[in-house]
Amino acid sequence: MASESNSIQQSSTQPVTPGDDDGIREIRINPVVPSESVLVATARSMRPKKDEAPAPRDTRAHVDRCPFCTGNEHMTPPEISRCPGTGDWNIRIVENLFPVLGDDRRQPDFSFGLQQTIDGYGRHEVIVDHDNHGISLHEMSAEHIAMLFGAYRDRIEQLYESDDRLKYVLVFKNFGPAAGGSIPHTHSQIIAMPVVPENVQAEVRSSAQYYDKHHRCIFCSLIDEALTFEATIYDRESGEVRRRLDVGQYIIERGERFIAVKPFASRYEWEVHILPLHHQADFRDTSEQDLQDLGQVLKRTMQRLDAVLGGVQYNYFLHSAPGGRDNRTSSSYHWHLEICPRTSIPTGFELGAGLFVNTVSPEHAARRLRDVCI
Ligand SMILES: [Zn+2]
Ligand SMILES: [Zn+2]
Ligand SMILES: [Zn+2]
């Protein structure tokens, strides 16, 4: 632990090396969506790493010409809401200047032969996460992060209520150029769409199948396993130890109500998921106390990622039970936040084979994130 913190003090921009990552080469099946698998191959040649120093971060608190900075509210598209409701704001929701989906014109769905389209109906909005221009998530107070997720929750609810053609509301954040963040002022986005995205549907479908078989939520089972499972697996032929599983091996952070875990079949080297410890299908059901604890767990998780990776660029997105609240989904599905740091570029192999390649074993990444001093 001591050497970890020393090396980070010397330079937080050191590229991460697998170090004592044991030579693993195996395909891991995603337990939630079995059709998705990941090749964990710790031989570094598998994937071009973005070893260059992270892009310099704009840490200015205020930028005169930035449309998201205070005093420039007239430069954004119309405001939808702000937090607090009146006076100086901490968080603002505005319409997107270049929406990918919109409700300003309608065109009928279209089907001809194998060509099928669904009208690009929907809403696309921007959330200015903080009044401080260059602040990173790990530098925000846990209370502010709780308020931000409260703003997400309230807006998701309003959008579902506003129009029953909206089938899914996705909240996500792109941070840093490698993650597609085009405006430097910290912000997130909301897209309300007329279809449930296929990856969410796949999670909902697979977890419902698991529920039918085992009468349990698969996400709750995964959390229990992470908290209680210990085993040594031996090779049948040689008797050598093939794998040792330890209690808490995949846990990065734990609060009273939330847990941050490293998925066993992580697509990205430093991917981390945050889930409520107690079963909850719909993010809209989070209470104020839930959000406070989520704020703490997310802040500490981001501090860990920043300490290990230095200037982490990432995407995060919320997966929650889609649209209407039907009972079946609420027993079998469990909402979560997926955080995907961008440290490498997908290759032709990944695009062509549909198989993610992860060059840092999830066990090693989890240990690094847990042991780093924050
Ligand atoms: Zn700004
Ligand atoms: Zn659950
Ligand atoms: Zn998910």
Side-chain angles (χ1 to χ4, degrees):
M1 197 189 254
S3 68
E4 191 82 79
S5 63
N6 283 346
S7 68
I8 276 147
Q9 273 163 9
Q10 281 159 15
S11 163
S12 60
T13 57
Q14 280 283 316
V16 174
T17 45
D20 57 330
D21 206 356
D22 12 28
I24 293 180
R25 191 171 57 209
E26 63 192 16
I27 292 174
R28 296 189 177 188
I29 311 297
N30 178 338
V32 179
V33 184
S35 59
E36 273 181 21
S37 41
V38 173
L39 172 62
V40 177
T42 55
R44 305 191 74 203
S45 60
M46 276 308 292
R47 194 173 199 184
K49 307 294 290 183
K50 290 178 46 267
D51 268 353
E52 78 274 15
R57 228 185 83 205
D58 183 352
T59 52
R60 290 172 293 178
H62 190 275
V63 174
D64 287 345
R65 296 177 59 188
C66 167
F68 291 171
C69 273
T70 48
N72 296 339
E73 289 78 4
H74 61 282
M75 289 165 71
T76 64
E79 178 173 301
I80 293 160
S81 63
R82 60 168 64 190
C83 241
T86 51
D88 289 346
W89 54 271
N90 298 125
I91 295 165
R92 250 181 118 217
I93 305 183
V94 299
E95 287 177 19
N96 195 312
L97 190 55
F98 303 109
V100 295
L101 295 176
D103 56 3
D104 49 343
R105 66 192 162 87
R106 290 223 55 193
Q107 85 196 21
D109 297 349
F110 164 86
S111 177
F112 177 77
L114 294 174
Q115 302 180 8
Q116 258 192 46
T117 66
I118 296 170
D119 181 35
Y121 174 83
R123 304 268 317 168
H124 187 178
E125 300 169 355
V126 173
I127 301 167
V128 184
D129 294 341
H130 203 288
D131 56 343
N132 182 317
H133 178 87
I135 195 169
S136 281
L137 201 73
H138 70 275
E139 297 161 338
M140 295 179 194
S141 69
E143 293 73 31
H144 187 95
I145 298 174
M147 197 201 302
L148 177 62
F149 277 71
Y152 292 168
R153 180 194 60 192
D154 297 346
R155 190 59 193 151
I156 293 172
E157 179 74 34
Q158 286 165 6
L159 283 164
Y160 276 127
E161 297 282 306
S162 71
D163 192 327
D164 55 17
R165 282 175 297 175
L166 297 174
K167 299 296 181 224
Y168 196 75
V169 182
L170 180 72
V171 175
F172 63 97
K173 180 172 171 73
N174 306 329
F175 187 80
S182 49
I183 302 169
H185 193 122
T186 182
H187 68 284
S188 352
Q189 301 180 55
I190 297 191
I191 294 189
M193 47 188 135
V195 289
V196 180
E198 179 47 39
N199 58 351
V200 177
Q201 269 192 49
E203 286 185 358
V204 169
R205 227 178 6 244
S206 296
S207 53
Q209 278 165 7
Y210 182 91
Y211 188 85
D212 284 347
K213 228 174 166 178
H214 304 278
H215 311 290
R216 282 213 73 195
C217 159
I218 188 168
F219 296 92
C220 286
S221 301
L222 283 167
I223 293 170
D224 283 354
E225 207 170 278
L227 290 171
T228 58
F229 214 60
E230 191 171 29
T232 306
I233 297 151
Y234 298 95
D235 190 279
R236 258 186 220 156
E237 313 265 288
S238 66
E240 276 172 31
V241 174
R242 279 194 63 191
R243 178 164 298 157
R244 201 167 267 136
L245 299 178
D246 291 319
V247 173
Q249 191 178 25
Y250 296 100
I251 298 169
I252 310 300
E253 265 298 331
R254 196 192 154 162
E256 222 174 278
R257 295 160 184 253
F258 285 85
I259 191 166
V261 293
K262 182 89 192 83
F264 160 80
S266 297
R267 294 157 297 182
Y268 301 99
E269 278 78 6
W270 301 95
E271 178 177 356
V272 177
H273 294 184
I274 295 181
L275 306 93
L277 273 164
H278 298 291
H279 183 78
Q280 197 171 49
D282 197 323
F283 171 68
R284 287 175 291 172
D285 293 333
T286 46
S287 66
E288 289 313 311
Q289 285 114 307
D290 288 338
L291 294 177
Q292 292 301 328
D293 195 59
L294 174 62
Q296 301 269 5
V297 171
L298 178 53
K299 179 182 168 75
R300 292 179 60 83
T301 302
M302 297 313 293
Q303 283 177 309
R304 291 185 183 285
L305 284 167
D306 192 70
V308 172
L309 297 173
V312 61
Q313 305 190 39
Y314 60 89
N315 303 102
Y316 75 47
F317 45 88
L318 261 176
H319 274 170
S320 177
R325 301 163 187 239
D326 84 60
N327 288 330
R328 189 179 145 86
T329 307
S330 42
S331 318
S332 58
Y333 194 66
H334 194 124
W335 76 264
H336 51 274
L337 180 74
E338 300 192 23
I339 306 164
C340 302
R342 294 307 184 118
T343 52
S344 52
I345 306 154
T347 64
F349 175 71
E350 294 180 293
L351 297 173
L355 189 66
F356 279 87
V357 179
N358 183 338
T359 57
V360 180
S361 83
E363 295 72 27
H364 175 72
R367 195 163 58 241
R368 288 281 311 267
L369 289 170
R370 223 178 15 248
D371 289 351
V372 72
C373 290
I374 54 168

